[in-house]
Amino acid sequence: QVQLVESGGGSVQAGGSLRLSCVVFGYTYSSYCMGWFRQAPGKEREGVAAIDSDGSTRHADSVKGRFTISKDNAKNTLYLQMNSLKPEDTARYYCAAEGACLWLLPKYNYWGQGTQVTVSS
């Protein structure tokens, strides 16, 4: 059974940094497309960044230059480095996995439980 477990969320002031992690269990991690998504109260879930099995990446325009997605296949772990955080980045962040890459579309089959990120001004 596929399981994704996020960690690393927290509360920071604007301009600060956080690194989210997502450990993956139950499948051949390196062959999947992985993504980070976020959802704020009252808003739809949106794609933040994604990385394909070959290491290709895409980032949402709203986070380009501030957030970086990466992965460590040996550790079955996905990361999201978030720098220069803004109050509008406040949301619950989810990692997701899919066999065929959907990039920033929130239609992945496998999801973690999420980790909360709160940025104060």
Side-chain angles (χ1 to χ4, degrees), residues 53-104:
S53 56
D54 66 357
S56 302
T57 64
R58 292 187 187 177
H59 295 77
D61 288 343
S62 59
V63 305
K64 279 182 181 176
R66 300 189 299 121
F67 292 10
T68 303
I69 190 171
S70 63
K71 63 178 181 173
D72 185 333
N73 289 338
K75 295 182 179 180
N76 272 17
T77 302
L78 178 73
Y79 301 102
L80 185 68
Q81 179 65 46
M82 305 187 295
N83 299 327
S84 302
L85 282 160
K86 304 175 181 180
E88 51 263 45
D89 294 319
T90 295
R92 191 164 186 84
Y93 284 71
Y94 299 86
C95 70
E98 181 60 59
C101 206
L102 300 176
W103 296 112
L104 302 181

Side-chain angles (χ1 to χ4, degrees), residues 21-34:
S21 299
C22 173
V23 181
V24 182
F25 304 92
Y27 65 83
T28 306
Y29 167 78
S30 61
S31 65
Y32 274 65
C33 184
M34 302 290 298

